[in-house]
Short mmCIF file of all heavy atoms in Angstrom, two decimals:
data_model
loop_
_atom_site.label_atom_id
_atom_site.label_comp_id
_atom_site.label_asym_id
_atom_site.label_seq_id
_atom_site.Cartn_x
_atom_site.Cartn_y
_atom_site.Cartn_z
N GLU T 76 -12.85 -10.24 14.38
CA GLU T 76 -13.54 -9.48 13.34
C GLU T 76 -12.54 -8.71 12.51
O GLU T 76 -12.74 -7.40 12.47
CB GLU T 76 -14.69 -8.65 13.86
CG GLU T 76 -15.65 -9.56 14.58
CD GLU T 76 -17.05 -8.82 14.67
OE1 GLU T 76 -17.45 -8.23 13.77
OE2 GLU T 76 -17.53 -8.95 15.78
N ASP T 121 9.46 9.74 22.93
CA ASP T 121 9.28 11.14 23.27
C ASP T 121 7.80 11.47 23.71
O ASP T 121 7.50 12.72 23.99
CB ASP T 121 9.81 12.10 22.22
CG ASP T 121 8.92 12.17 20.99
OD1 ASP T 121 7.89 11.45 21.01
OD2 ASP T 121 9.33 12.88 20.05
N PHE T 144 -24.27 10.31 24.61
CA PHE T 144 -23.75 8.93 24.83
C PHE T 144 -23.32 8.74 26.19
O PHE T 144 -22.74 9.73 26.88
CB PHE T 144 -22.74 8.49 23.88
CG PHE T 144 -23.10 8.27 22.50
CD1 PHE T 144 -23.06 9.29 21.50
CD2 PHE T 144 -23.68 7.08 22.08
CE1 PHE T 144 -23.46 9.00 20.13
CE2 PHE T 144 -24.12 6.82 20.79
CZ PHE T 144 -23.98 7.82 19.86
#
Side-chain angles (χ1 to χ4, degrees):
E76 300 199 48
D121 69 2
F144 287 98

